[in-house]
Amino acid sequence: KNGLSDGVYNLQVFLRGNLVQEGQFTVGRVQARLDPEKPAPEENDGVIVSGTILDYSTWKPIQGAIIIFLRPGLTIEDFDDDTSEGKTQTVLSYGTTNAQGQYTINTPLPRGYVYSVLVGAKGYKRIAADDALEITEDDPDLIELDSIYLERR
């Protein structure tokens, strides 16, 4: 009863000040959505997106960057105007990068739609594009996007 709230958590294990292990885990009902190797039966029509976000100048990974996929038909302007807590009116799925700059989205994207995408991190310029990714009926269950490079502000 006093445990963690439902959600996605990152865990880092340090030994003598050095990061030795890192992983992501989920508490609650979104568990099945995060394992791209074992999508939940009701999620089989969706596509899990993963990839890496890097610093444009150094090509080093950016930890804590976020990639956001908006609900089909919505625009970046809709996202910017969304005043709901957590932007729940516009955000369909998102992923946050680990220390290696890698992310996996938390909810599969349904096939047959085009998605607007935002990518950002603290201290970096945001990338935002309407209708940036189309998920077709023929796409595999797991898509790895090309690396995304963010410029510092």
Side-chain angles (χ1 to χ4, degrees), residues 2-144:
N2 292 328
L4 295 172
S5 301
D6 287 3
V8 179
Y9 296 88
N10 292 314
L11 175 66
Q12 295 178 328
V13 178
F14 290 85
L15 182 62
R16 296 187 184 107
N18 295 314
L19 180 65
V20 294
Q21 184 72 27
E22 181 173 11
Q24 189 176 67
F25 67 95
T26 304
V27 173
R29 58 188 193 113
V30 293
Q31 179 67 39
R33 294 180 174 177
L34 290 177
D35 187 352
E37 301 301 320
K38 298 177 186 174
E42 68 272 14
E43 304 295 351
N44 283 341
D45 287 338
V47 174
I48 297 286
V49 177
S50 65
T52 306
I53 301 174
L54 304 170
D55 182 287
Y56 178 79
S57 298
T58 65
W59 288 30
K60 290 184 178 179
I62 302 172
Q63 183 173 5
I66 188 167
I67 184 166
I68 299 169
F69 294 89
L70 302 185
R71 297 180 185 281
L74 297 182
T75 65
I76 303 305
E77 184 177 353
D78 294 328
F79 174 84
D80 289 340
D81 292 343
D82 184 359
T83 58
S84 64
E85 185 175 340
K87 301 261 186 191
T88 55
Q89 298 295 326
T90 52
V91 173
L92 173 64
S93 187
Y94 68 92
T96 305
T97 57
N98 60 19
Q100 289 76 41
Q102 301 165 334
Y103 64 87
T104 300
I105 61 172
N106 67 331
T107 303
L109 302 177
R111 298 175 194 282
Y113 295 98
V114 178
Y115 299 92
S116 297
V117 181
L118 294 94
V119 183
K122 188 174 182 178
Y124 288 85
K125 295 177 186 173
R126 176 176 92 165
I127 296 174
D130 288 329
D131 301 328
L133 180 67
E134 181 177 10
I135 301 294
T136 68
E137 298 297 332
D138 298 327
D139 281 328
D141 292 342
L142 177 62
I143 294 177
E144 183 162 352

